[in-house]
Amino acid sequence: MSDLPKDYDIIIVGTGLTESILAGALARIGKSVLHIDRNQFYGGEFASHTLNNLMEWSDKIKRYPDIENDREQNDKSCFKKCNNDLGKYYTEIEYSFSDLETQDKLLKLSRKFTLDLTPNIFYSRGQLIELLISSDVAKYCEFKMVSQILTLDRDGNVQKVPTSRSEVFKSNKLGMLEKRSMMQFVQAVLKDDNFNELIEPEQLQTISFRQLISNKKFPQIINDYLINAVAMCPNEKDNALKGLNDTKKFLTSVGRFGDSPFLYSMYGAGELPQCFCRMSAVFGAIYYLDMTIDKFHINSENRIESITTKNDKEEFKFNCKNLIIDSSYAPIDYFKSIDNLISHCILITDKTIYKNDDGLDHISLLFLPKMKDTDIYMIETSYASNCSPQGYFVVYLFCRNTRKTSRENFEKCIETFFNIGELDENKPNVLFSCFYSHIDSDYFVHELDKISNRPNNLHFVSGCQPKLDFDHHVEQAKKIFNDICPNDEFMPKPPDPEDIIFGDETENKNEISKETNQNETSE
Amino acid sequence: MDDYKFLFKVVLIGEAGVGKTCLVRRFCQGVFPIGQAATIGVDFLIKNLEINGDKIKLQIWDTAGQERFRTITQSYYRSANAIIIVYDVSNQPSFDRLPEWLRELKQHINEKVVVILVGNKCDLTEGREIPYHIGESFAQRHNMKFIETSAKESANVEQIFQELSTTLLKQANQIFETNRKDTKTLKNDIQSNKIYNCC
């Protein structure tokens, strides 16, 4: 440990997506970065787990209130004790197997499952994908197309929504007239940013997208496609501008990498923070997992000057100019009970929810508006993304919590698609299920930022939101980056490894002696 | 430039200070970097080889210092075709940690990946702590090829990569066709202008 430097420009606590993007961006421009996480694994709230690890993770959180109960009061403001009780952040965790035999079978395959705590899919023209390309972090990851965009029709049947022009024309669900009116709408959306052909400018924010579509007098099936599967803006509060922008994002994403607008990360979304961390490490950031922030020290100018961290063996002190922390580590006396929760459900099943004739494994998206009183996103992955063994499927459901328990949010949805109670051999069986909720940390960070005596070099980062894509995290990372380094470029493309020319030996020696000097002084 | 039949990803692991970077630099650039400076900004180095008339390209990935506190990301191992585990023959602890590295490897790679064990710094005859036969029998027990090298004196460095490449080439058709068929590499943004057009 003695070789760990003491002074950093920036210390980042938590390896979730926003923190990892920031680590990459800051190390890239030459800042000294220490990046730590309380867990032994990367990703925090964004991690992907094997089946065994997911169970371990939930058992650990359920135990939290017992093992971590040192509510040390911060009487003086010279230091703040940070939260390390995940039980304050996650609630209502439960998991179960359908029966013992299945449990044995699945646990033998545990390592072949990659289960995302924060599953998501990405628009081919969304901010995350653009950032991966522009920063060249894309070289660390691989993607698969989300090959089926599904919707539930009025009769309760699952249907595949045509996404590309050729799919629209091949569709046997649409008549010639319907095809024409759909394509005309598409053309008008793509034409300009003000959507002049579709709507009067003053109406953009005053009428809902749903209203706009119904004004167009499309056949019902087109209405449903556009509102529920393309724009995914079914609510009265989703105005026309939002709906049209989301439609546009969907349409422009089609064709970039394939017929579908969405990509899914191979081996799960938990890969993404790690890719940014790798980039950060390549540019010199130091990584230490299984170490947590215990408290931070504030000087007379209301700035954090150092932090104390600990693992199960030792305690360390590091100095920093800026501190970025995931809100789940926020100081204990900043923690409030937050009613806004986001709920998740992970299912392992034995069949797909939509059997395609091609016999291939697919990745599917199904948006379920107004399931009870919340909108649910459903993502089904399979062997196609290396996230499950062949013959098994992983279904993720997430939504804003509106019920008492995590499970209640999803009960109706699970009954609709899966074999519960009466046997229907066409429906998939649920072999394993896991439910959990956590604080809407975006809301929480908003609350934290309002705290008046908050040190001015302390930056809080929030976790996932119940919506598609990770744009939110890219925006958040850019904002914090600009606060810290207003004059630097955000993640410029690094030189191609094939183009790097190393200096000759003498130049090397100079560089090295400089480096060793630095090492000596820091020790 | 891009005239090659196969591209292989080769990944280096092993304790800090065993000479991983020196091996790669020696092999790819013919130099032996003096001192301990970490290479900032370099992900991997490239080496083009010709084996039995087939041109191949090796992409050799270094750990970016993440081995120091055992924080190597999983994605580092993803789609690797070969792994080189390095220890320092003059440093017993670097040898003693090998079982741990193998455990970590087992979690991330499948059985098709070629693994080779390298005892580096074999020029240090006086400071040697691990005799050749100990390294060799460890490798045999775990089904790995074994080589002792000196990046400093350029001994056997070529051989590691020759050995690997020959094995990889044999497997190549199989690995490439089954594993990498239709994954999307974001770099290949070929169709970027083809959007959802009207009729």
Side-chain angles (χ1 to χ4, degrees):
Chain A
M1 276 314 278
S2 55
D3 55 346
L4 201 55
K6 289 270 166 280
D7 297 291
Y8 297 92
D9 292 324
I10 291 116
I11 296 177
I12 304 177
V13 183
T15 53
L17 186 58
T18 310
E19 302 96 282
S20 302
I21 296 175
L22 275 164
L26 291 163
R28 175 73 188 88
I29 58 163
K31 299 284 176 196
S32 56
V33 174
L34 173 68
H35 198 176
I36 64 172
D37 195 294
R38 57 160 82 91
N39 299 305
Q40 283 174 347
F41 49 83
Y42 280 98
E45 191 181 328
F46 292 81
S48 300
H49 286 308
T50 62
L51 183 54
N52 268 322
N53 291 351
L54 179 73
M55 291 160 66
E56 234 169 72
W57 172 83
S58 19
D59 291 342
K60 193 173 163 198
I61 290 174
K62 278 189 268 182
R63 279 200 315 269
Y64 255 112
D66 307 326
I67 54 173
E68 185 97 19
N69 217 353
D70 54 341
R71 223 174 205 284
E72 212 171 298
Q73 279 304 314
N74 304 317
D75 48 353
K76 296 207 178 87
S77 61
C78 61
F79 75 85
K80 294 251 177 229
K81 190 153 177 64
C82 295
N83 174 52
N84 278 302
D85 175 358
L86 274 178
K88 281 198 193 12
Y89 193 76
Y90 286 97
T91 56
E92 292 294 334
I93 300 191
E94 53 173 306
Y95 64 83
S96 59
F97 290 89
S98 58
D99 56 74
L100 277 173
E101 201 185 319
T102 311
Q103 176 169 353
D104 284 349
K105 209 158 105 192
L106 289 181
L107 286 180
K108 282 200 187 98
L109 296 166
S110 163
R111 230 168 52 76
K112 302 208 161 167
F113 287 101
T114 307
L115 306 170
D116 294 352
L117 293 183
T118 302
N120 219 322
I121 58 174
F122 318 108
Y123 284 98
S124 296
R125 292 206 183 267
Q127 292 194 46
L128 181 81
I129 298 296
E130 297 293 0
L131 176 63
L132 286 169
I133 293 171
S134 69
S135 64
D136 218 14
V137 173
K139 69 175 167 236
Y140 305 129
C141 38
E142 286 179 303
F143 292 85
K144 271 273 166 95
M145 300 303 318
V146 176
S147 43
Q148 301 186 140
I149 313 295
L150 305 175
T151 192
L152 200 59
D153 70 14
R154 286 176 185 243
D155 306 324
N157 298 316
V158 181
Q159 276 194 30
K160 185 173 185 290
V161 177
T163 51
S164 70
R165 189 182 168 208
S166 64
E167 279 180 10
V168 170
F169 280 96
K170 271 189 275 177
S171 168
N172 53 13
K173 303 271 179 212
L174 302 173
M176 206 49 221
L177 249 151
E178 289 159 342
K179 286 176 185 173
R180 278 195 74 88
S181 55
M182 185 150 168
M183 290 322 284
Q184 268 165 9
F185 181 78
V186 162
Q187 197 182 11
V189 170
L190 290 174
K191 198 156 186 186
D192 65 81
D193 286 340
N194 304 320
F195 309 107
N196 283 331
E197 284 187 16
L198 295 163
I199 187 167
E200 299 297 324
E202 62 274 12
Q203 283 192 312
L204 275 171
Q205 312 230 23
T206 54
I207 66 165
S208 68
F209 182 70
R210 177 172 273 284
Q211 186 62 48
L212 169 77
I213 296 296
S214 71
N215 289 350
K216 297 286 166 205
K217 305 254 179 305
F218 288 131
Q220 191 59 49
I221 185 167
I222 303 272
N223 269 9
D224 290 351
Y225 279 179
L226 291 173
I227 294 171
N228 298 338
V230 176
M232 292 174 261
C233 290
N235 299 309
E236 285 306 318
K237 66 175 187 334
D238 301 323
N239 66 32
L241 183 63
K242 180 180 188 302
L244 288 167
N245 279 329
D246 287 353
T247 307
K248 190 166 191 152
K249 197 168 164 190
F250 184 102
L251 296 173
T252 53
S253 290
V254 169
R256 185 177 200 184
F257 300 110
D259 279 348
S260 161
F262 296 108
L263 295 167
Y264 185 83
S265 167
M266 288 282 281
Y267 310 101
E271 289 287 294
L272 294 164
Q274 295 186 47
C275 294
F276 286 101
C277 290
R278 159 84 191 176
M279 149 112 165
S280 177
V282 166
F283 284 92
I286 294 177
Y287 278 81
Y288 209 112
L289 301 179
D290 206 7
M291 173 150 86
T292 191
I293 181 167
D294 184 34
K295 49 198 169 202
F296 52 76
H297 306 261
I298 304 166
N299 67 14
S300 52
E301 290 155 27
N302 200 25
R303 288 180 73 78
I304 294 168
E305 53 180 24
S306 64
I307 66 165
T308 310
T309 69
K310 61 176 184 188
N311 58 21
D312 51 6
K313 293 186 214 87
E314 301 170 76
E315 224 181 58
F316 314 94
K317 198 175 167 194
F318 300 109
N319 304 319
C320 64
K321 295 181 189 145
N322 276 285
L323 178 66
I324 298 170
I325 66 176
D326 164 11
S327 59
S328 70
Y329 297 79
I332 291 172
D333 57 343
Y334 289 180
F335 245 90
K336 280 193 215 166
S337 82
I338 302 275
D339 294 334
N340 294 15
L341 297 179
I342 294 161
S343 297
H344 289 264
C345 164
I346 303 174
L347 306 173
I348 295 176
T349 68
D350 59 353
K351 272 195 209 80
T352 171
I353 49 164
Y354 180 79
K355 196 153 171 47
N356 196 315
D357 302 332
D358 61 14
L360 298 172
D361 284 322
H362 287 274
I363 302 165
S364 313
L365 167 73
L366 178 54
F367 176 66
L368 297 160
K370 298 181 180 158
M371 212 60 181
K372 279 196 173 166
D373 36 19
T374 183
D375 300 333
I376 296 179
Y377 293 91
M378 180 193 277
I379 298 168
E380 184 190 73
T381 73
S382 62
Y383 184 64
S385 59
N386 279 16
C387 289
S388 68
Q390 244 165 337
Y392 293 92
F393 297 83
V394 178
V395 177
Y396 298 105
L397 302 167
F398 56 93
C399 66
R400 215 165 261 295
N401 175 62
T402 54
R403 325 296 297 181
K404 273 207 208 76
T405 66
S406 318
R407 179 193 282 271
E408 275 180 57
N409 291 291
F410 305 111
E411 267 169 355
K412 188 178 168 211
C413 168
I414 293 174
E415 278 166 30
T416 311
F417 292 97
F418 304 98
N419 243 336
I420 300 288
E422 74 209 79
L423 232 58
D424 176 348
E425 60 178 37
N426 293 319
K427 282 188 180 177
N429 294 302
V430 176
L431 309 175
F432 168 83
S433 58
C434 176
F435 300 90
Y436 52 98
S437 295
H438 59 76
I439 290 178
D440 177 349
S441 53
D442 209 36
Y443 183 76
F444 183 40
V445 166
H446 191 67
E447 294 286 299
L448 288 169
D449 284 344
K450 283 196 284 199
I451 294 169
S452 58
N453 62 348
R454 189 173 61 91
N456 46 27
N457 59 343
L458 169 63
H459 310 267
F460 286 110
V461 164
S462 67
C464 78
Q465 284 291 297
K467 56 185 175 195
L468 291 186
D469 213 339
F470 287 145
D471 279 4
H472 172 68
H473 302 283
V474 179
E475 280 163 18
Q476 197 181 19
K478 282 184 178 164
K479 188 179 163 291
I480 294 174
F481 180 86
N482 278 327
D483 286 349
I484 299 174
C485 313
N487 302 317
D488 287 290
E489 193 185 340
F490 183 77
M491 257 202 234
K493 205 182 213 61
D496 188 325
E498 297 197 40
D499 298 338
I500 296 175
I501 298 159
F502 287 84
D504 61 27
E505 287 294 273
T506 47
E507 247 178 82
N508 268 333
K509 269 180 206 155
N510 286 337
E511 251 173 60
I512 288 153
S513 59
K514 229 170 41 195
E515 283 269 348
T516 33
N517 279 341
Q518 268 176 4
N519 286 345
E520 276 158 20
T521 45
S522 64
E523 272 170 21
Chain B
M1 168 79 184
D2 273 358
D3 173 30
Y4 56 88
K5 191 169 174 190
F6 291 112
L7 179 132
F8 297 113
K9 176 176 171 183
V10 180
V11 158
L12 282 151
I13 56 170
E15 293 296 295
V18 297
K20 295 183 292 297
T21 308
C22 295
L23 281 173
V24 193
R25 296 278 307 266
R26 168 62 82 188
F27 176 63
C28 296
Q29 298 163 329
V31 296
F32 180 72
I34 307 153
Q36 304 246 316
T39 353
I40 299 287
V42 182
D43 255 323
F44 53 78
L45 293 178
I46 293 283
K47 179 83 174 182
N48 294 300
L49 284 181
E50 199 173 315
I51 308 272
N52 307 331
D54 281 327
K55 284 189 177 149
I56 61 162
K57 188 174 196 158
L58 295 182
Q59 202 181 59
I60 308 162
W61 291 60
D62 209 342
T63 51
Q66 288 187 316
E67 79 281 21
R68 262 169 89 195
F69 305 113
R70 340 222 117 247
T71 55
I72 289 183
T73 54
Q74 286 164 313
S75 51
Y76 180 65
Y77 297 102
R78 302 281 188 222
S79 32
N81 304 105
I83 311 272
I84 302 175
I85 311 182
V86 189
Y87 70 93
D88 172 354
V89 299
S90 69
N91 179 323
Q92 183 77 41
S94 77
F95 183 80
D96 296 342
R97 297 304 278 271
L98 290 177
E100 221 169 295
W101 282 109
L102 288 176
R103 252 199 309 281
E104 164 138 354
L105 266 191
K106 280 216 181 80
Q107 286 175 25
H108 300 298
I109 63 168
N110 63 32
E111 54 291 343
K112 275 186 222 139
V113 177
V114 181
V115 186
I116 190 164
L117 181 67
V118 172
N120 192 32
K121 306 195 189 175
C122 67
D123 53 287
L124 298 173
T125 40
E126 286 188 10
R128 183 188 274 272
E129 291 183 356
I130 320 291
Y132 182 90
H133 72 271
I134 299 277
E136 192 186 31
S137 67
F138 182 86
Q140 269 171 1
R141 259 202 317 283
H142 294 93
N143 236 340
M144 302 181 277
K145 294 223 163 79
F146 178 67
I147 280 183
E148 277 197 357
T149 58
S150 163
K152 192 173 174 191
E153 289 174 1
S154 194
N156 276 345
V157 179
E158 282 297 311
Q159 279 80 335
I160 308 175
F161 296 94
Q162 285 285 341
E163 181 86 51
L164 275 183
S165 309
T166 315
T167 322
L168 285 171
L169 202 58
K170 271 192 215 148
Q171 289 189 353
N173 287 318
Q174 200 188 348
I175 288 175
F176 270 70
E177 268 152 39
T178 51
N179 274 2
R180 307 187 51 105
K181 213 164 26 186
D182 56 353
T183 56
K184 300 284 168 188
T185 313
L186 294 184
K187 255 188 192 162
N188 301 333
D189 187 9
I190 321 159
Q191 299 177 309
S192 58
N193 293 320
K194 217 177 86 187
I195 48 168
Y196 198 123
N197 261 324
C198 82
C199 50

